[in-house]
Amino acid sequence: MSRILSGGLTRRNMLKTTAATALMGAVKMAFPSGAFAQGAGPETTKAVLGFIALTDSAPLIIAKEKGLFAKHGMPDVEVVKQASWGTTRDNLVLGSEGSGIDGAHILTPMPYLISAGKVTQNGQPLPMAILARLNLDAQAISVGSAYADLKVGIDAGALKEAFAKKKADGAPAKVAMTFPGGTHDLWLRYWLAAGGIDPDSDVETIVVPPPQMVANMKVGTMDCFCVGEPWNAQLVNQGVGYTAVNTAEIWAKHPEKSFAMRADWVEKNPNAAKAITMAIMEAQQWCDDMANKEELAGIVGKRAWFNVPPRDLVGRLKGEYDYGNGKVVENSPHLMKFWKDHTSYPFQSHEAWFLTEDIRWGKFEPGTDIKGMIAKVNREDIWREAAKGLGITDVPASTSRGIETFFDGKTFDPANPEAYLASLDIKRFA
């Protein structure tokens, strides 16, 4: 069986005449991001999707385990573990035709960084398409046991003096995140900067793959890290450190991971892209049901997926948070959301914040056309078509969630990112 087609013809192969080609050109001008052949089945039954061992990859895993890809005409979808976000990027560049992947569970800013050639070899752009948001909330910033007496929480300023002393002694504190310009990098930077700690000059920022965070903290490679679950819970369960802050305490109901695919794959297989999105959306609803949390933890904890004990997963999935420093929250409103509160919809305003923060820290140039970039990468049209196919009527009326507010009183108006940038104390773009 071909890795590209499975029985059906591609749209390109169906263009038999010059007149039809001209018509398709007109359609492309009207719908530059592609249009759906309504009523047609998927152009292929196969796609290769990557995931990192993080709880927010669960919708892809559940869609595979529960047969939801097959239900929507995509029985040959593979869900393949990636070692790091760098590996995810590299395999997306290869594509499945090059033994890589076609799409992935991914840090929301990464499709933009990849599309712009900011993180690819030789600066070569690879156009990407975001089809859905996978989750809201429930990443965390954890610190080592050496800082237990400081009782670090939402105010990172509690670390300022200790970090300044380490720097003066010639051994700057090391703070770890998972990918430069990614969500964990931005939560960590926002938190440190709000506490008066410059993430570029007061500490040393390092990149560590999510599954390696706890092991590195054990051997003293880092002082604190930002990552998704289950690694913060595992740190607490192993007595190596404690959770300082759930990222939802920084920004309540914040966006986190996305489901994205290579744009050329989506253009070639629009109905297959819709089918995959429908399967993932169904899986998100299943993951969000509290009655399924125990089973969810058991599934993703398997050796084939995360290879971690379910106890490292299930508590925080249910909103039961033991921070490891004496703070215990039984029914946290900041548990990971997979579906409610319009989690799955890829709000353009959410992506505008990530791009603005990446301008703040020098990943994109000042004056970057944020709106133009989003128009190319964000495929909320596919999400809406998928929602229609599933009979979902609770669909956001707007692509913007409006003005967002952060724990330190800063606000972000997606219509005026310049004002937000001007309000920030520590920034790199000036």
Side-chain angles (χ1 to χ4, degrees):
M1 182 182 295
S2 167
R3 291 180 67 84
I4 303 173
L5 301 176
S6 181
L9 293 173
T10 64
R11 180 177 299 185
R12 182 173 297 174
N13 290 337
M14 294 172 64
L15 301 178
K16 298 290 188 180
T17 66
T18 302
T21 303
L23 175 61
M24 183 55 67
V27 171
K28 281 283 189 181
M29 289 182 66
F31 302 98
S33 293
F36 290 96
Q38 297 294 342
E43 302 83 357
T44 174
T45 63
K46 183 174 179 60
V48 184
L49 309 178
F51 79 98
I52 295 279
L54 289 163
T55 305
D56 38 41
S57 68
L60 273 69
I61 295 169
I62 292 302
K64 181 65 177 178
E65 287 265 352
K66 295 291 183 180
L68 298 176
F69 290 126
K71 173 183 175 181
H72 292 286
M74 300 294 295
D76 302 312
V77 168
E78 297 178 38
V79 180
V80 184
K81 186 182 291 187
Q82 308 295 295
S84 67
W85 294 119
T87 303
T88 298
R89 170 205 57 205
D90 295 344
N91 281 331
L92 282 167
V93 171
L94 289 172
S96 61
E97 292 182 341
S99 299
I101 59 179
D102 302 305
H105 150 251
I106 200 165
L107 299 163
T108 292
M110 281 185 68
Y112 289 95
L113 293 163
I114 293 170
S115 293
K118 296 296 184 183
V119 295
T120 52
Q121 189 172 13
N122 300 321
Q124 186 65 38
L126 173 68
M128 295 290 297
I130 288 177
L131 308 184
R133 197 83 65 232
L134 291 178
N135 70 299
L136 302 181
D137 294 343
Q139 314 301 289
I141 298 172
S142 292
V143 298
S145 298
Y147 301 96
D149 292 345
L150 294 180
K151 301 186 186 304
V152 184
I154 190 69
D155 182 7
L159 289 166
K160 189 171 183 178
E161 185 177 341
F163 282 2
K165 184 178 187 305
K166 291 200 71 167
K167 182 181 178 182
D169 291 343
K174 289 183 171 63
V175 300
M177 47 75 183
T178 61
F179 191 84
T183 58
H184 302 128
D185 187 21
L186 299 182
W187 306 134
L188 184 62
R189 286 173 174 274
Y190 193 99
W191 179 71
L192 289 170
I197 300 169
D198 191 319
D200 286 325
S201 61
D202 294 338
V203 295
E204 182 181 337
T205 304
I206 60 175
V207 179
V208 176
Q212 297 177 25
M213 288 290 189
V214 177
N216 276 271
M217 187 74 92
K218 278 183 179 178
V219 297
T221 304
M222 64 184 75
D223 297 88
C224 75
F225 62 66
C226 182
V227 73
E229 299 301 341
W231 309 112
N232 300 284
Q234 186 178 90
L235 184 83
V236 170
N237 289 341
Q238 295 188 10
V240 183
Y242 62 97
T243 295
V245 60
N246 179 326
T247 51
E249 296 171 79
I250 296 173
W251 172 11
K253 298 180 183 179
H254 72 70
E256 185 42 46
K257 306 300 188 302
S258 291
F259 171 61
M261 299 193 75
R262 288 175 55 117
D264 58 359
W265 196 96
V266 174
E267 295 289 347
K268 189 173 185 178
N269 306 290
N271 293 309
K274 173 186 170 183
I276 291 172
T277 304
M278 290 171 70
I280 289 172
M281 290 165 71
E282 275 203 59
Q284 288 183 273
Q285 294 173 65
W286 188 92
C287 290
D288 224 32
D289 188 337
M290 192 60 72
N292 296 329
K293 300 298 185 181
E294 295 275 355
E295 184 181 355
L296 175 58
I299 290 172
V300 300
K302 290 178 182 176
R303 180 179 295 275
W305 301 115
F306 292 9
N307 193 26
V308 300
R311 76 185 189 100
D312 289 344
L313 287 149
V314 70
R316 294 192 179 194
L317 273 171
K318 290 181 173 181
E320 299 167 0
Y321 274 79
D322 178 353
Y323 283 64
N325 58 0
K327 178 180 177 180
V328 177
V329 180
E330 293 294 338
N331 294 293
S332 174
H334 302 315
L335 82 170
M336 188 171 291
K337 299 161 187 66
F338 294 100
W339 184 255
K340 66 180 179 181
D341 297 323
H342 292 139
T343 292
S344 182
Y345 183 75
F347 284 101
Q348 294 182 21
S349 59
H350 282 165
E351 289 162 31
W353 182 82
F354 286 119
L355 293 177
T356 303
E357 275 289 303
D358 272 337
I359 290 172
R360 175 189 188 184
W361 301 111
K363 304 303 180 187
F364 287 113
E365 297 79 9
T368 292
D369 182 4
I370 293 174
K371 186 175 180 181
M373 290 185 71
I374 292 173
K376 292 179 181 178
V377 175
N378 181 292
R379 292 301 307 271
E380 59 89 23
D381 60 311
I382 293 178
W383 190 95
R384 287 177 180 273
E385 287 290 336
K388 188 183 300 182
L390 292 172
I392 294 167
T393 56
D394 183 17
V395 176
S398 171
T399 60
S400 174
R401 206 173 67 171
I403 296 175
E404 306 284 357
T405 303
F406 300 82
F407 80 100
D408 58 350
K410 297 286 192 298
T411 59
F412 176 72
D413 181 352
N416 190 6
E418 294 80 10
Y420 170 78
L421 285 172
S423 74
L424 300 169
D425 300 318
I426 299 175
K427 49 206 171 193
R428 294 279 84 81
F429 68 89

